Amino acid sequence: MILMDLFISFVIVGMFSFGGGMAAIPLIQEQVVTIHQWLSLTEFTDLITIAQMTPGPIAINCATFVGIQIDGLTGALVATIGCVLPSCIIVSILAWLYVKYKDSFILTGALQGLQPAVVALIATAGLSILLLALFGEGVETYSLDNLDIISSVLFIVSFAILKIRKKTNPIHVMIGCGIVGGMIYLAVDYLAILL
């Protein structure tokens, strides 16, 4: 039964992930965290980080990761197939329609209408992950008292690097922030033990 739930969940994700892998994040979050509660929000944030650091589309990486968490290799295969199958079918149909009707104003209008919705999906997922990263899990009111200073500084520095130096590889920034963050939190824990 859980394999069927896993398959259907990622079929839904694969069917409605318009706009690329980042647009799939809120759908995956809804299925995995909200509806089925297979992962906590913290585990989901870790999943997104790992999925972005590994090669391949983020939605497929997430599906494989969640599948392994739920039912090992079988779960990974079921979730990955569920994620990919709708895209293969839909892209084949859309490619045929696009070639046949690419000059149609209805098709052009529909594609332009999808763009703001995709941006809204990405912004929603990004905002929830940002709040979790800066304030931690379970915070009900977002104030400066609840703000994690180390995470905030790492966010500002990495954002500035990516915005100012346009050719910076995001993976290098993620690895750098991971190393610096690990060292800082290790030092803070060490100092807490000493004091």
Side-chain angles (χ1 to χ4, degrees), residues 23-89:
I25 292 174
L27 298 175
I28 297 171
Q29 181 181 350
E30 182 184 12
Q31 290 294 325
V32 171
V33 177
T34 307
I35 295 175
H36 295 289
Q37 299 177 349
W38 289 322
L39 299 178
S40 68
L41 189 56
T42 301
E43 291 172 324
F44 181 74
T45 304
D46 293 341
L47 161 71
I48 297 300
T49 304
I50 292 168
Q52 286 183 321
M53 292 176 63
T54 51
I58 190 169
I60 295 172
N61 293 346
C62 289
T64 306
F65 185 91
V66 171
I68 286 177
Q69 289 281 99
I70 301 304
D71 199 42
L73 185 59
T74 306
L77 288 171
V78 166
T80 303
I81 291 170
C83 188
V84 171
L85 185 64
S87 300
C88 292
I89 295 170

Side-chain angles (χ1 to χ4, degrees), residues 97-140:
L97 287 172
Y98 182 76
V99 169
K100 189 163 184 169
Y101 301 106
K102 65 183 175 185
D103 296 327
S104 165
F105 71 92
I106 294 175
L107 182 62
T108 305
L111 292 175
Q112 287 179 344
L114 281 172
Q115 291 173 358
V118 169
V119 172
L121 283 171
I122 294 170
T124 301
L127 183 61
S128 65
I129 292 172
L130 177 65
L131 291 174
L132 177 66
L134 298 183
F135 293 97
E137 194 168 13
V139 175
E140 294 182 8

